[in-house]
Amino acid sequence: MSADKEEGAAVPSGQKQSWGAFLKSIASFSGDLSSLTAPPFILSPVSLAEFPSYWGEADEAFGKIADGTSTEQRQLLVTEWFIATLAGQFTRREKETGSEKKPLNPILGEQFLGDWKKGETRLQAEQVSHHPPITGYFLENKSKGVSLQGHCAQKTSFSGRTIVVKQVGHGLLRVKLASGETETYLITLPKLVIEGIFFGAPYVELSEHSYIQGSHGLTTTIEYKGKGYFSGKAHTFTASIGTGPSPKSPLYAIEGQWTGNSTYTKVSGSGLATVSSLFLDAAVSRPPINVVPIEEQNEFESRRVWKDVADGIRKGDFEAASVAKSALENSERQKRKDEAANGVTFETRLFETLLDDPEYKVLAAMCKHKPESEESYVPKA
């Protein structure tokens, strides 16, 4: 085994003992791994409440969905936007820091607010539940009539030498048409596999499949594959667009890397593909979200909430980060105890819960997605 492949090779020397203890704990743990405390060096200074911003970084592709002149074209454009968001969501932190980092678990009611292009596209996100942890979000380009309402949670488990993350939740992307009608697209979420744990340099691969189900009947089925031990490319996918999931006679076939180039072909009625054309270059840089300075944020906004913890992590002062993190978490626990003692139920500020969302149920049935019913989190007026 080469030196860079030795277990713990990427772990700082001062953190090897805590890293070894962490590996032992996850190997023997049963249940949801998200409740485990990770060694300080692998913590991210960013809260999970910020992650919905990745949906908006491809803001040009998001707004361009409204320019589609047919259901077929809009299905393609929604698919293009979705693929364009994946590199930011799942590989940027690895490129910036050398490995994937464990994000901070948001406190109940934590908010993340921001925009792109001076407010043309706006995002609001809120931690709507702590047990289980769920983040609700709403992204909107009002001038183009395009919006994304969704929520995400994670269920993690240990398998072999990898951590498997099942993303729970969905998105509902809506497009207001010139006719006055609204098209809706159900966005389901792929499963994550976190490799490189034993080397101390985790990275993310996507696995299995996800769907984009249009209310007009067209479905995008996306299959994800990663680099095998001996062959294959990292971060690859294939996709088909047609009527229903995994159609036998697709209208379009797409393949490539969700971190780089992908191509698409239009399939003729005889089943023969035309010449492939560039579908997307996912490696282009994308503008980060604009967020007001911390001193101007309200007390619930994410970067203000976690400032002392994030400062410690960025400076490498993990003891200070740990002290600040413990103080915040203990304060939150006391708030929940006080609420329970006073018979008070915490109320979210930005979202309200829609149990058994009927729109989700219809679209999930069209692509045979499970679960058959699920709640949604709708922005308050």
Side-chain angles (χ1 to χ4, degrees):
M1 182 178 290
S2 62
D4 64 332
K5 288 297 184 181
E6 291 178 359
E7 289 190 4
V11 179
S13 58
Q15 297 287 322
K16 287 187 181 293
Q17 185 173 353
S18 62
W19 182 245
F22 178 65
L23 291 179
K24 289 179 181 178
S25 66
I26 61 175
S28 60
F29 188 81
S30 61
D32 190 345
L33 292 176
S34 60
S35 61
L36 289 177
T37 300
F41 85 92
I42 204 170
L43 286 178
S44 166
V46 176
S47 168
L48 200 58
E50 291 199 25
F51 279 39
S53 67
Y54 294 120
W55 293 118
E57 287 187 350
D59 65 318
E60 289 191 10
F62 186 67
K64 193 171 68 172
I65 294 169
D67 298 336
T69 56
S70 66
T71 56
E72 187 176 303
Q73 190 177 35
R74 286 189 292 273
Q75 186 77 27
L76 265 175
L77 290 170
V78 174
T79 303
E80 178 186 340
W81 158 79
F82 176 80
I83 298 298
T85 70
L86 298 179
Q89 292 190 62
F90 303 117
T91 64
R92 179 180 305 150
R93 295 174 298 281
E94 178 192 344
K95 290 179 179 178
E96 291 175 345
T97 66
S99 69
E100 181 62 51
K101 303 293 184 182
K102 183 182 185 297
L104 299 165
N105 291 326
I107 64 171
L108 185 60
E110 183 178 327
Q111 301 174 9
F112 186 67
L113 312 172
D115 62 58
W116 292 263
K117 293 185 178 177
K118 298 181 179 180
E120 181 178 291
T121 302
R122 293 184 177 275
L123 171 74
Q124 63 178 37
E126 181 180 22
Q127 193 69 5
V128 295
S129 172
H130 192 63
H131 296 294
I134 301 173
T135 307
Y137 55 86
F138 184 70
L139 180 73
E140 182 178 33
N141 183 325
K142 188 172 289 187
S143 65
K144 300 289 284 188
V146 183
S147 66
L148 175 69
Q149 167 205 312
H151 70 279
C152 187
Q154 293 80 31
K155 291 184 178 180
T156 55
S157 60
F158 189 68
S159 176
R161 297 171 68 88
T162 64
I163 291 177
V164 178
V165 181
K166 179 183 179 182
Q167 296 196 95
V168 180
H170 65 269
L172 291 172
L173 188 148
R174 298 181 177 94
V175 186
K176 294 181 180 178
L177 305 179
S179 64
E181 297 177 311
T182 298
E183 278 180 356
T184 305
Y185 297 81
L186 170 65
I187 311 294
T188 74
L189 307 173
K191 185 175 287 187
L192 317 181
V193 177
I194 302 177
E195 308 270 6
I197 298 296
F198 281 81
F199 307 134
Y203 64 93
V204 175
E205 269 292 3
L206 304 184
S207 69
E208 299 190 6
H209 63 269
S210 67
Y211 298 119
I212 301 173
Q213 178 60 57
S215 55
H216 44 59
L218 292 180
T219 309
T220 302
T221 304
I222 308 171
E223 302 282 348
Y224 304 93
K225 294 182 180 179
K227 180 176 174 59
Y229 195 82
F230 296 107
S231 63
K233 285 186 176 180
H235 313 318
T236 60
F237 76 97
T238 59
S240 61
I241 295 178
T243 303
S246 303
K248 293 182 179 179
S249 301
L251 299 172
Y252 293 91
I254 309 167
E255 64 178 357
Q257 290 181 285
W258 48 266
T259 52
N261 285 350
S262 53
T263 59
Y264 77 111
T265 55
K266 184 174 176 59
V267 183
S268 69
S270 61
L272 299 175
T274 57
V275 177
S276 296
S277 302
L278 179 67
F279 180 66
L280 175 69
D281 177 5
V284 299
S285 61
R286 303 190 186 280
I289 191 169
N290 299 311
V291 180
V292 300
I294 289 177
E295 58 270 19
E296 298 177 21
Q297 294 180 11
N298 72 59
E299 63 181 299
F300 308 109
E301 288 191 61
S302 185
R303 294 183 184 179
R304 179 173 170 181
V305 168
W306 292 101
K307 181 181 182 304
D308 291 342
V309 178
D311 286 349
I313 293 172
R314 290 192 173 101
K315 293 175 183 176
D317 188 344
F318 298 122
E319 183 176 353
S322 180
V323 169
K325 185 171 179 288
S326 294
L328 175 61
E329 291 171 343
N330 289 336
S331 174
E332 286 299 303
R333 291 189 190 99
Q334 188 59 51
K335 287 179 184 178
R336 303 291 85 80
K337 289 179 181 179
D338 292 344
E339 289 169 353
N342 295 320
V344 175
T345 301
F346 178 85
E347 290 190 13
T348 53
R349 300 172 180 88
L350 303 180
F351 292 87
E352 56 189 4
T353 306
L354 174 61
L355 296 174
D356 197 12
D357 186 341
E359 193 168 25
Y360 166 85
K361 184 178 289 187
V362 170
L363 294 172
M366 291 172 72
C367 62
K368 301 179 182 178
H369 178 64
K370 304 294 184 183
E372 296 176 353
S373 62
E374 194 167 68
E375 75 279 4
S376 288
Y377 296 89
V378 182
K380 293 182 178 180

